[in-house]
Amino acid sequence: MILSFDQVGEILDDLYETFPEALFDGLNGGISLLPDLKTDPQLPGRTMYLMGAYCHDMMGRYIQLYYGSFAALAKEEHWTAEDWKKELYETLSHELTHHMEGLAGLRGLEQKDEEQIAQWKAENDLEAEKENENDK
């Protein structure tokens, strides 16, 4: 099931209300749902969707969520409406954790993300090598 951009925006509005207000302190740029589909540019020929990003730059502190990435993954994995809500909640929670750690000067989740991405890349490169060996 592919939800529309507006439907996803409505779900995010509802999800926002479920989080303690204190988590949004210092998030001066708020949360934006963008139509973009984002993938990891370091993986040519492979697809790892980027669902969201916590940003801290000259524009301030803000969260971006990428509707196009959610929609692409939803299509591939045949999501239900509940899957959409779960994925949006998990991604928003993840990015809010980055925000809270950023305010505290910590990088624990950022380091964990880097480790998981490195592991995913290693596992997928290994799979590609296995496929190449089987083609011989």
Side-chain angles (χ1 to χ4, degrees):
M1 159 186 283
I2 305 299
L3 299 182
S4 71
F5 185 88
D6 290 338
Q7 288 172 311
V8 172
E10 289 173 15
I11 291 171
L12 285 171
D13 287 345
D14 292 341
L15 288 176
Y16 175 88
E17 300 296 326
T18 68
F19 290 93
E21 190 63 36
L23 292 180
F24 301 98
D25 289 349
L27 197 64
N28 61 329
I31 301 165
S32 297
L33 179 63
L34 304 174
D36 308 31
L37 183 155
K38 295 268 189 170
T39 59
D40 188 331
Q42 297 176 21
L43 298 172
R46 299 188 187 273
T47 303
M48 176 190 276
Y49 296 109
L50 303 178
M51 311 309 274
Y54 170 67
C55 306
H56 180 202
D57 56 25
M58 63 188 221
M59 299 293 289
R61 296 176 186 268
Y62 53 98
I63 292 172
Q64 296 179 328
L65 300 176
Y66 306 118
Y67 168 79
S69 296
F70 283 96
L73 197 55
K75 183 177 180 181
E76 286 180 18
E77 296 182 353
H78 309 287
W79 286 2
T80 64
E82 286 305 310
D83 293 327
W84 275 91
K85 290 176 187 173
K86 178 181 171 280
E87 294 293 335
L88 289 162
Y89 179 85
E90 288 177 1
T91 303
L92 184 54
S93 296
H94 184 94
E95 300 309 334
L96 284 168
T97 302
H98 279 301
H99 171 58
M100 297 308 295
E101 285 190 351
L103 290 175
L106 303 173
R107 293 189 60 239
L109 184 57
E110 185 178 335
Q111 290 167 341
K112 183 178 176 184
D113 285 349
E114 289 168 0
E115 291 167 7
Q116 287 178 330
I117 290 169
Q119 180 181 354
W120 186 90
K121 288 178 181 179
E123 288 171 0
N124 282 279
D125 285 343
L126 181 61
E127 291 299 317
E129 289 174 14
K130 286 181 186 175
E131 288 174 16
N132 289 338
E133 288 176 12
N134 290 340
D135 290 342
K136 291 180 182 177

